[in-house]
Amino acid sequence: MPHARNRNPSPIPEVTWDTGLKEMNETWKGAIACLGVAVFFVMTIGIIYWQVVDQPNKNWILRGTLSGLIWERRTHSLVIQTLTEDMTYVEIDVGNVGNPDIEVPFVRNLCWLNKTEFCYTWDSVAEVKISLEVNEETETECYSMTWTPVHCHVELKDCFSMANVSWYGGASVRGQTWPMNDQNAMMQPFVISDLKDTPSGFGSPLERYFLGSSGVAVLVSPDNPVQLGVDSRQQFCLKSLPSMERLPLQYTVCVAHNVRAAHQEAVQQLSEHSRELPNMKTLWLPFWKLLANVDSGPKVERELRTFSNRLKRHQLGEGVISLNEHSTTLLSDMDHDYLNNRKRGMSKRLTRDLPLVKLLNISITLSPFLGVDTTQFHTSLMDGTEAFWLSLPSAAQGTLIPVMSQWRGKFCVKLNLTNPAAVSWFLDRVGSLQAHLGMEYITLEGGEGNLFEEQALRPPLALSGDKYVELLADLAASIGDSTIVTAGTRSNHKPLFVRMTPLQSDWGPMGLRAIIPSLLHHTLLGYNFLIPDAVGGTLSGELVTDPELFIRWLEIVAFLPSISFHTPPWVCGEEQVVNLTRTYIAKHQRDVVPLIEKYAEEWQLTGNPIYRPMWWLSPSDPMTFTINDQFLIGDEVLVAPVVEKGAVQRDIYLPDGGFRWQDSRSAQVFDGGTFLQDYPVPLEEVAVFLQRT
């Protein structure tokens, strides 16, 4: 039988395909796995290199025609620079948006379709939206920034660097400086407090506005509460507190070619109302404080008569005699008794001196406080007008319970300025006093502070922050254009006078040396019509006995809007002091008041301050940024007083305003930009230079 043929004569043994494929797969799997590990390793190294080495440290977020906004990745800062990067306007440290444990990634714009907006979200922290607005006419650019917390536990904090920038504005402080770089203030609510009771707080005037010498202005939104802290020569910081409402931190940063242009742009941004002038005839009259420690109205009148006669005897001219709140109360009570007794036919003895009060030019002092031991307060509780006072509803029945506080050492309640009936009652009281005493000038004290927040109580929305100060300014303006207030915020357009914070009676930074920085601070914020602290200072309440301090103080305030006295000049015991007082009152009326009236018209039209810092004429000259002992009245008069004890000479810098300066005493003429070293200024004189073309 035939044998079957072998189909595979090859010596190579037969192998099945299944077995070979399995062996090939195992080999390639190992190779592919090794290759994958290598690729992953290379990619990881590349990503790390890109993040740490190759990724740029800064990224342009927005660009205008003058400037651009840059994100500095390593410092976690927003920086506004010129497009050529040769000048920095401001550097804002956002502090990892409140959470130092979060690594801030490369910033990507989520609003990339709009070239004038930038949006970004940091997970679990905050959302930021920045809008750029370019004003080609004024050549300014404004960046509106809104930081919104993602949840209610987030605390937002932005800090503005002081490196190579002199900053101005904000709030008054004890020992005012110009610029504010040397100030130091712990983080606290950015509201007005009484510096006499809270020396480390913020005083009046206060505006949510800061100006930098690099040509930058920061305008903080008035709608939300904010805290402010100042680290001397390093930075100032704005902070929002965590809240259930997740309130944003909002501010606008405007940049311009120089500091003056930035300020003028900020004034236009802040100007919501037309500016009104107060009673300008007030500038012509010196204010004399009556120092009367008496306990009855007739004694107050006797002191008034004596003091008025003494002013006449020393030929100190017409003026206004100021009464404190205690003397005002005694006079008003006496007048009230007189009106009641006249109805009974018993007026002769009680009213024999009343015509004298009406003939004198007096200023009274009132406050929104009322003692809880007064008949008026108890009557309000009985007749259902307890809503006239700041109150909170009781938890049990919902009835209003007035909130008590202390004022001038007594327990008091405070007028509820959100109640129209309470405001009408107060105005009726003022009208009655004006009819009976004949006074034209009224000082309203006691607006500082927030009664609720000081006692850790939640205030009504209408009285949060500094809103009480604003309402009191409204009340003051309704009384008349000769009213003086002791606190100002968002009220610089009203026809009011603002009294300067009391100063110490010495030569230090909280005394004489603080006058000019405080003057420049007031006028930068728009409060041009200020009543400076009385000659010699009033913080201690003591009389000044140092003739040199009195004279040098007098020489400064003679160039300010008004002159006021706490210490009568004859107390210093030298005829020279009385003679110089007459001389400088006359100089103030003859030379200074007409200048103020001239530049008041300019202020109404443009918002330019009447009293100006040295950089106003030379806004790009770094020499002018820190001069704190000279000031300008308009553009035409430069005043350089002596502020050091025993000095009869001083250094003076004449800014370059495109004209020359002439010494008003010697008629010597100097070029702008001249530095005068050890320039002689005798005790009886002030260095004054006049603009000459």
Short mmCIF file of all heavy atoms in Angstrom, two decimals, residues 20-69:
data_model
loop_
_atom_site.label_atom_id
_atom_site.label_comp_id
_atom_site.label_asym_id
_atom_site.label_seq_id
_atom_site.Cartn_x
_atom_site.Cartn_y
_atom_site.Cartn_z
N GLY A 20 3.81 31.37 18.49
CA GLY A 20 4.70 32.47 18.08
C GLY A 20 4.11 33.82 18.38
O GLY A 20 4.81 34.75 18.80
N LEU A 21 2.83 33.96 18.13
CA LEU A 21 2.19 35.28 18.38
C LEU A 21 2.25 35.63 19.86
O LEU A 21 2.50 36.77 20.23
CB LEU A 21 0.74 35.23 17.89
CG LEU A 21 -0.05 36.52 18.01
CD1 LEU A 21 0.64 37.61 17.17
CD2 LEU A 21 -1.49 36.31 17.54
N LYS A 22 2.06 34.68 20.71
CA LYS A 22 2.12 34.93 22.15
C LYS A 22 3.52 35.38 22.56
O LYS A 22 3.69 36.30 23.35
CB LYS A 22 1.74 33.67 22.91
CG LYS A 22 0.26 33.37 22.82
CD LYS A 22 -0.07 32.10 23.60
CE LYS A 22 -1.56 31.78 23.48
NZ LYS A 22 -1.90 30.55 24.22
N GLU A 23 4.56 34.73 21.98
CA GLU A 23 5.91 35.12 22.33
C GLU A 23 6.24 36.53 21.85
O GLU A 23 6.88 37.32 22.53
CB GLU A 23 6.90 34.11 21.74
CG GLU A 23 6.81 32.75 22.40
CD GLU A 23 7.81 31.77 21.81
OE1 GLU A 23 8.53 32.20 20.88
OE2 GLU A 23 7.88 30.64 22.29
N MET A 24 5.78 36.88 20.62
CA MET A 24 6.01 38.23 20.10
C MET A 24 5.29 39.29 20.95
O MET A 24 5.83 40.36 21.24
CB MET A 24 5.52 38.32 18.65
CG MET A 24 6.41 37.58 17.65
SD MET A 24 5.72 37.64 16.00
CE MET A 24 5.80 39.40 15.72
N ASN A 25 4.08 39.05 21.39
CA ASN A 25 3.32 40.01 22.21
C ASN A 25 4.03 40.30 23.52
O ASN A 25 4.09 41.44 23.99
CB ASN A 25 1.91 39.49 22.49
CG ASN A 25 1.02 39.64 21.25
OD1 ASN A 25 1.37 40.35 20.33
ND2 ASN A 25 -0.11 38.93 21.27
N GLU A 26 4.55 39.34 24.17
CA GLU A 26 5.24 39.54 25.44
C GLU A 26 6.47 40.43 25.25
O GLU A 26 6.75 41.32 26.04
CB GLU A 26 5.66 38.19 26.03
CG GLU A 26 4.49 37.31 26.48
CD GLU A 26 3.69 37.96 27.58
OE1 GLU A 26 4.27 38.75 28.37
OE2 GLU A 26 2.47 37.71 27.66
N THR A 27 7.18 40.24 24.18
CA THR A 27 8.38 41.05 23.92
C THR A 27 8.04 42.50 23.67
O THR A 27 8.64 43.43 24.22
CB THR A 27 9.13 40.47 22.71
OG1 THR A 27 9.43 39.12 22.95
CG2 THR A 27 10.41 41.26 22.44
N TRP A 28 7.03 42.70 22.78
CA TRP A 28 6.66 44.09 22.46
C TRP A 28 6.01 44.81 23.64
O TRP A 28 6.15 46.02 23.80
CB TRP A 28 5.71 44.10 21.25
CG TRP A 28 6.45 43.95 19.97
CD1 TRP A 28 6.57 42.83 19.20
CD2 TRP A 28 7.19 44.98 19.33
NE1 TRP A 28 7.33 43.07 18.11
CE2 TRP A 28 7.74 44.40 18.16
CE3 TRP A 28 7.46 46.32 19.61
CZ2 TRP A 28 8.52 45.12 17.27
CZ3 TRP A 28 8.23 47.02 18.73
CH2 TRP A 28 8.76 46.44 17.57
N LYS A 29 5.28 44.09 24.41
CA LYS A 29 4.66 44.72 25.60
C LYS A 29 5.72 45.31 26.51
O LYS A 29 5.60 46.42 27.03
CB LYS A 29 3.82 43.70 26.37
CG LYS A 29 2.46 43.45 25.76
CD LYS A 29 1.68 42.46 26.61
CE LYS A 29 0.30 42.20 26.01
NZ LYS A 29 -0.45 41.23 26.83
N GLY A 30 6.78 44.59 26.72
CA GLY A 30 7.85 45.11 27.57
C GLY A 30 8.50 46.34 27.00
O GLY A 30 8.79 47.32 27.69
N ALA A 31 8.72 46.29 25.67
CA ALA A 31 9.35 47.44 25.02
C ALA A 31 8.46 48.68 25.07
O ALA A 31 8.91 49.80 25.34
CB ALA A 31 9.67 47.08 23.56
N ILE A 32 7.15 48.46 24.79
CA ILE A 32 6.21 49.59 24.81
C ILE A 32 6.10 50.18 26.20
O ILE A 32 6.03 51.40 26.39
CB ILE A 32 4.84 49.15 24.27
CG1 ILE A 32 4.95 48.85 22.77
CG2 ILE A 32 3.78 50.22 24.53
CD1 ILE A 32 3.70 48.24 22.19
N ALA A 33 6.08 49.32 27.20
CA ALA A 33 6.00 49.80 28.59
C ALA A 33 7.21 50.65 28.94
O ALA A 33 7.10 51.72 29.55
CB ALA A 33 5.88 48.61 29.54
N CYS A 34 8.39 50.20 28.54
CA CYS A 34 9.60 50.98 28.81
C CYS A 34 9.55 52.32 28.10
O CYS A 34 9.94 53.36 28.65
CB CYS A 34 10.84 50.19 28.36
SG CYS A 34 11.15 48.73 29.38
N LEU A 35 9.08 52.28 26.84
CA LEU A 35 8.96 53.53 26.09
C LEU A 35 7.97 54.49 26.74
O LEU A 35 8.20 55.70 26.83
CB LEU A 35 8.54 53.23 24.65
CG LEU A 35 8.38 54.45 23.72
CD1 LEU A 35 9.72 55.16 23.58
CD2 LEU A 35 7.84 54.02 22.36
N GLY A 36 6.83 53.98 27.23
CA GLY A 36 5.82 54.82 27.91
C GLY A 36 6.38 55.47 29.15
O GLY A 36 6.14 56.66 29.42
N VAL A 37 7.14 54.70 29.94
CA VAL A 37 7.75 55.26 31.15
C VAL A 37 8.71 56.38 30.78
O VAL A 37 8.76 57.44 31.41
CB VAL A 37 8.45 54.16 31.95
CG1 VAL A 37 9.28 54.76 33.08
CG2 VAL A 37 7.45 53.17 32.51
N ALA A 38 9.47 56.14 29.71
CA ALA A 38 10.44 57.16 29.29
C ALA A 38 9.73 58.43 28.83
O ALA A 38 10.14 59.55 29.17
CB ALA A 38 11.31 56.59 28.16
N VAL A 39 8.66 58.28 28.04
CA VAL A 39 7.92 59.45 27.56
C VAL A 39 7.31 60.21 28.73
O VAL A 39 7.34 61.44 28.79
CB VAL A 39 6.83 59.02 26.55
CG1 VAL A 39 5.90 60.20 26.24
CG2 VAL A 39 7.47 58.50 25.28
N PHE A 40 6.70 59.45 29.67
CA PHE A 40 6.10 60.09 30.84
C PHE A 40 7.15 60.86 31.64
O PHE A 40 6.91 61.98 32.10
CB PHE A 40 5.44 59.02 31.72
CG PHE A 40 4.87 59.58 32.98
CD1 PHE A 40 3.66 60.26 32.98
CD2 PHE A 40 5.54 59.43 34.20
CE1 PHE A 40 3.13 60.78 34.15
CE2 PHE A 40 5.03 59.95 35.36
CZ PHE A 40 3.81 60.62 35.34
N PHE A 41 8.33 60.26 31.79
CA PHE A 41 9.40 60.91 32.54
C PHE A 41 9.84 62.20 31.83
O PHE A 41 10.02 63.24 32.46
CB PHE A 41 10.58 59.94 32.68
CG PHE A 41 11.73 60.50 33.46
CD1 PHE A 41 11.67 60.60 34.84
CD2 PHE A 41 12.89 60.93 32.80
CE1 PHE A 41 12.73 61.12 35.56
CE2 PHE A 41 13.95 61.45 33.53
CZ PHE A 41 13.86 61.55 34.91
N VAL A 42 10.00 62.14 30.50
CA VAL A 42 10.40 63.32 29.74
C VAL A 42 9.34 64.41 29.84
O VAL A 42 9.65 65.60 30.00
CB VAL A 42 10.67 62.94 28.27
CG1 VAL A 42 10.87 64.20 27.42
CG2 VAL A 42 11.89 62.04 28.17
N MET A 43 8.06 64.03 29.73
CA MET A 43 6.98 65.01 29.82
C MET A 43 6.95 65.67 31.20
O MET A 43 6.73 66.88 31.33
CB MET A 43 5.63 64.34 29.53
CG MET A 43 5.44 63.96 28.06
SD MET A 43 3.86 63.15 27.77
CE MET A 43 2.75 64.48 28.19
N THR A 44 7.14 64.88 32.23
CA THR A 44 7.15 65.42 33.59
C THR A 44 8.27 66.43 33.76
O THR A 44 8.07 67.53 34.30
CB THR A 44 7.30 64.29 34.61
OG1 THR A 44 6.23 63.35 34.44
CG2 THR A 44 7.27 64.85 36.04
N ILE A 45 9.45 66.05 33.28
CA ILE A 45 10.58 66.97 33.36
C ILE A 45 10.27 68.24 32.56
O ILE A 45 10.57 69.37 32.99
CB ILE A 45 11.87 66.31 32.83
CG1 ILE A 45 12.27 65.13 33.74
CG2 ILE A 45 13.00 67.33 32.74
CD1 ILE A 45 12.61 65.54 35.15
N GLY A 46 9.65 68.08 31.40
CA GLY A 46 9.31 69.24 30.58
C GLY A 46 8.32 70.17 31.25
O GLY A 46 8.46 71.40 31.19
N ILE A 47 7.30 69.58 31.87
CA ILE A 47 6.30 70.40 32.55
C ILE A 47 6.93 71.16 33.71
O ILE A 47 6.69 72.35 33.92
CB ILE A 47 5.13 69.52 33.03
CG1 ILE A 47 4.33 69.01 31.82
CG2 ILE A 47 4.21 70.30 33.98
CD1 ILE A 47 3.27 67.98 32.18
N ILE A 48 7.76 70.44 34.48
CA ILE A 48 8.43 71.09 35.61
C ILE A 48 9.33 72.21 35.11
O ILE A 48 9.36 73.31 35.67
CB ILE A 48 9.24 70.05 36.43
CG1 ILE A 48 8.28 69.05 37.09
CG2 ILE A 48 10.11 70.75 37.47
CD1 ILE A 48 8.98 67.92 37.80
N TYR A 49 10.04 71.95 34.04
CA TYR A 49 10.93 72.98 33.48
C TYR A 49 10.11 74.18 33.00
O TYR A 49 10.47 75.33 33.22
CB TYR A 49 11.73 72.39 32.31
CG TYR A 49 12.62 73.40 31.63
CD1 TYR A 49 13.88 73.70 32.13
CD2 TYR A 49 12.19 74.06 30.48
CE1 TYR A 49 14.69 74.63 31.50
CE2 TYR A 49 12.99 75.00 29.85
CZ TYR A 49 14.25 75.27 30.37
OH TYR A 49 15.04 76.20 29.76
N TRP A 50 8.97 73.90 32.37
CA TRP A 50 8.12 74.99 31.85
C TRP A 50 7.57 75.85 32.98
O TRP A 50 7.54 77.07 32.91
CB TRP A 50 6.99 74.40 31.03
CG TRP A 50 6.01 75.43 30.54
CD1 TRP A 50 6.20 76.34 29.55
CD2 TRP A 50 4.69 75.65 31.04
NE1 TRP A 50 5.09 77.12 29.38
CE2 TRP A 50 4.14 76.72 30.28
CE3 TRP A 50 3.91 75.05 32.03
CZ2 TRP A 50 2.85 77.20 30.50
CZ3 TRP A 50 2.63 75.52 32.23
CH2 TRP A 50 2.12 76.58 31.48
N GLN A 51 7.16 75.16 34.08
CA GLN A 51 6.60 75.91 35.19
C GLN A 51 7.65 76.68 35.97
O GLN A 51 7.41 77.79 36.43
CB GLN A 51 5.87 74.94 36.15
CG GLN A 51 4.54 74.44 35.59
CD GLN A 51 3.75 73.68 36.64
OE1 GLN A 51 4.31 73.18 37.62
NE2 GLN A 51 2.46 73.56 36.42
N VAL A 52 8.83 76.09 36.12
CA VAL A 52 9.83 76.68 37.00
C VAL A 52 10.83 77.56 36.25
O VAL A 52 11.23 78.62 36.72
CB VAL A 52 10.58 75.58 37.79
CG1 VAL A 52 11.68 76.18 38.66
CG2 VAL A 52 9.61 74.77 38.62
N VAL A 53 11.20 77.13 35.05
CA VAL A 53 12.28 77.82 34.34
C VAL A 53 11.79 78.58 33.13
O VAL A 53 12.01 79.78 32.98
CB VAL A 53 13.38 76.81 33.93
CG1 VAL A 53 14.51 77.53 33.18
CG2 VAL A 53 13.91 76.08 35.14
N ASP A 54 11.08 77.87 32.26
CA ASP A 54 10.78 78.46 30.97
C ASP A 54 9.56 79.37 30.98
O ASP A 54 9.45 80.25 30.13
CB ASP A 54 10.57 77.33 29.95
CG ASP A 54 10.58 77.84 28.52
OD1 ASP A 54 11.48 78.61 28.19
OD2 ASP A 54 9.66 77.48 27.75
N GLN A 55 8.61 79.14 31.92
CA GLN A 55 7.41 79.98 31.94
C GLN A 55 7.78 81.41 32.32
O GLN A 55 8.53 81.65 33.24
CB GLN A 55 6.40 79.43 32.96
CG GLN A 55 5.11 80.22 32.97
CD GLN A 55 4.13 79.66 33.98
OE1 GLN A 55 4.37 78.60 34.51
NE2 GLN A 55 3.05 80.37 34.24
N PRO A 56 7.27 82.42 31.61
CA PRO A 56 7.63 83.81 31.93
C PRO A 56 7.13 84.20 33.31
O PRO A 56 6.07 83.75 33.76
CB PRO A 56 6.91 84.61 30.83
CG PRO A 56 5.82 83.72 30.33
CD PRO A 56 6.35 82.32 30.46
N ASN A 57 7.93 85.06 33.97
CA ASN A 57 7.56 85.49 35.31
C ASN A 57 6.41 86.47 35.30
O ASN A 57 5.73 86.65 36.30
CB ASN A 57 8.77 86.15 35.99
CG ASN A 57 9.83 85.13 36.32
OD1 ASN A 57 9.52 83.98 36.62
ND2 ASN A 57 11.09 85.55 36.26
N LYS A 58 6.18 87.13 34.17
CA LYS A 58 5.10 88.10 34.11
C LYS A 58 4.35 87.96 32.81
O LYS A 58 4.90 87.57 31.79
CB LYS A 58 5.63 89.52 34.28
CG LYS A 58 6.62 89.98 33.24
CD LYS A 58 7.12 91.37 33.59
CE LYS A 58 8.11 91.89 32.55
NZ LYS A 58 8.60 93.24 32.91
N ASN A 59 3.07 88.27 32.90
CA ASN A 59 2.19 88.16 31.75
C ASN A 59 1.35 89.42 31.65
O ASN A 59 0.80 89.89 32.64
CB ASN A 59 1.27 86.94 31.90
CG ASN A 59 2.03 85.68 32.22
OD1 ASN A 59 2.14 85.30 33.38
ND2 ASN A 59 2.57 85.04 31.21
N TRP A 60 1.25 89.94 30.45
CA TRP A 60 0.41 91.11 30.22
C TRP A 60 -1.05 90.67 30.25
O TRP A 60 -1.47 89.81 29.48
CB TRP A 60 0.74 91.75 28.89
CG TRP A 60 2.07 92.44 28.88
CD1 TRP A 60 3.28 91.91 28.56
CD2 TRP A 60 2.32 93.79 29.25
NE1 TRP A 60 4.28 92.84 28.69
CE2 TRP A 60 3.72 94.02 29.12
CE3 TRP A 60 1.52 94.85 29.68
CZ2 TRP A 60 4.33 95.24 29.39
CZ3 TRP A 60 2.11 96.07 29.95
CH2 TRP A 60 3.49 96.27 29.81
N ILE A 61 -1.81 91.27 31.15
CA ILE A 61 -3.23 90.94 31.29
C ILE A 61 -4.08 91.86 30.42
O ILE A 61 -4.94 91.41 29.67
CB ILE A 61 -3.65 91.04 32.77
CG1 ILE A 61 -3.01 89.90 33.57
CG2 ILE A 61 -5.16 90.99 32.91
CD1 ILE A 61 -3.29 89.97 35.05
N LEU A 62 -3.84 93.16 30.56
CA LEU A 62 -4.56 94.15 29.77
C LEU A 62 -3.57 95.20 29.28
O LEU A 62 -2.60 95.51 29.97
CB LEU A 62 -5.66 94.83 30.60
CG LEU A 62 -6.86 93.98 31.03
CD1 LEU A 62 -7.74 94.76 31.99
CD2 LEU A 62 -7.67 93.51 29.83
N ARG A 63 -3.84 95.77 28.12
CA ARG A 63 -3.00 96.82 27.58
C ARG A 63 -3.86 97.99 27.13
O ARG A 63 -4.89 97.80 26.46
CB ARG A 63 -2.19 96.32 26.37
CG ARG A 63 -1.14 95.27 26.68
CD ARG A 63 -0.51 94.80 25.38
NE ARG A 63 0.39 93.67 25.57
CZ ARG A 63 1.71 93.75 25.65
NH1 ARG A 63 2.29 94.93 25.55
NH2 ARG A 63 2.44 92.67 25.81
N GLY A 64 -3.44 99.21 27.55
CA GLY A 64 -4.08 100.41 27.06
C GLY A 64 -3.18 101.10 26.06
O GLY A 64 -2.35 100.46 25.40
N THR A 65 -3.32 102.40 25.94
CA THR A 65 -2.43 103.17 25.05
C THR A 65 -1.28 103.80 25.83
O THR A 65 -0.26 104.15 25.25
CB THR A 65 -3.23 104.28 24.35
OG1 THR A 65 -3.84 105.12 25.34
CG2 THR A 65 -4.32 103.70 23.47
N LEU A 66 -1.46 103.95 27.14
CA LEU A 66 -0.44 104.55 27.99
C LEU A 66 0.24 103.52 28.87
O LEU A 66 1.44 103.58 29.13
CB LEU A 66 -1.08 105.65 28.87
CG LEU A 66 -0.25 106.24 30.00
CD1 LEU A 66 0.89 107.09 29.42
CD2 LEU A 66 -1.12 107.09 30.92
N SER A 67 -0.55 102.54 29.33
CA SER A 67 -0.05 101.60 30.35
C SER A 67 -0.60 100.21 30.08
O SER A 67 -1.42 100.00 29.19
CB SER A 67 -0.48 102.07 31.74
OG SER A 67 -1.91 101.99 31.84
N GLY A 68 -0.12 99.29 30.89
CA GLY A 68 -0.63 97.93 30.84
C GLY A 68 -0.60 97.30 32.21
O GLY A 68 0.16 97.72 33.10
N LEU A 69 -1.45 96.29 32.40
CA LEU A 69 -1.53 95.57 33.67
C LEU A 69 -0.84 94.23 33.52
O LEU A 69 -1.13 93.46 32.59
CB LEU A 69 -3.00 95.38 34.08
CG LEU A 69 -3.25 94.64 35.39
CD1 LEU A 69 -2.70 95.45 36.57
CD2 LEU A 69 -4.73 94.38 35.59
#
